[in-house]
Amino acid sequence: MNIFSQVFNALPRQGPGSTGDTLRALAQVSEGLGRLETMLDVGCGGGAQSMVLLRNTAAHLTAVDLSTQLLAQLEASTAGEGFGDRLSTVECSMKDMSLAPSSFDLIWSEGAVYIMGFEAALESFRTLLRPAGRVAVSDMVWLVDDPPTAAVEWWKAEGVIPVHDMENRRTLQRQGYRLLDAFTLSSAAWWDSYLDPLAARVAELRPAQTDPAALAVLDELDGELAIHRAHLGSYGYVFYIAELA
């Protein structure tokens, strides 16, 4: 297993998120929704949010991820809690999902749509939703009009070009969705569920590493942690809850 997988596959979540934020979004999704029989979790990772969805609905969940190991973790968790008959897993990139059109009441994606791009993901999801279907999607955005240069340069180096929250709201409308609600993920979603465990895992793995390439990855992750400590708040994840207009 490469060092990147050793770090991230051991984390409780592979990106910012929390049970509280997932439940908040689910409550907003459920309000006024006529039915919730089928859900799709795109870029599910190890499935922390998938388990919250299964515990708090009676719907069937299709979980999509590119990682065999992470899907296996989710399958083991659902089997252990007796949800196995309500879970289907699909190992593929979100860019290559071969799923039946108009087959989901709800499409969920926490912190993963950057892989496709926010607008491309919404366009793809629209074809998979049933009439009046809904999406709950979190995406990293600028929360200030004049973000710090260091943060801008770091995200650019990562190959991610964030947009302002208001631009994502306009994109939702342009793609044929009606925004129901939006909220910024809590501090706990970053620190308790992701950054603190990430820092601990990097520190745990570093002493045993002799491979320069592996050490370089750990150094990059320490650099990421430093950027978040200094500039988190000028950017953050916003959860968007919307329905087909």
Side-chain angles (χ1 to χ4, degrees), residues 92-105:
C92 73
S93 166
M94 67 173 64
K95 297 179 181 179
D96 299 312
M97 295 186 295
S98 297
L99 300 169
S102 304
S103 54
F104 296 100
D105 300 312

Side-chain angles (χ1 to χ4, degrees), residues 1 8 22 25 32 41 69 82-83 89 97 125 138 140 159 195 213 239:
M1 186 188 302
F8 284 92
T22 298
D41 188 357
Q69 182 176 355
F83 297 141
T89 58
M97 295 186 295
F125 296 169
S138 66
M140 214 294 297
L195 294 180
F239 232 129

Side-chain angles (χ1 to χ4, degrees), residues 141-153 155 162 164 231 234-235:
V141 295
W142 296 119
L143 301 173
V144 297
D145 293 331
D146 188 20
T149 300
V152 172
E153 292 303 318
W155 282 109
H164 194 278
H231 299 296
S234 64
Y235 56 85

Side-chain angles (χ1 to χ4, degrees), residues 99-123:
L99 300 169
S102 304
S103 54
F104 296 100
D105 300 312
L106 169 63
I107 297 180
W108 200 275
S109 187
E110 294 198 25
V113 294
Y114 74 92
I115 294 170
M116 292 183 71
F118 190 71
E119 185 154 18
L122 290 173
E123 183 176 4

Side-chain angles (χ1 to χ4, degrees), residues 69-81:
Q69 182 176 355
L70 292 176
L71 289 175
Q73 288 180 20
L74 175 56
E75 289 168 351
S77 297
T78 56
E81 294 198 24

Side-chain angles (χ1 to χ4, degrees), residues 125-143:
F125 296 169
R126 195 176 65 234
T127 66
L128 298 174
L129 284 170
R130 291 172 174 165
R134 295 185 175 182
V135 295
V137 177
S138 66
D139 191 35
M140 214 294 297
V141 295
W142 296 119
L143 301 173

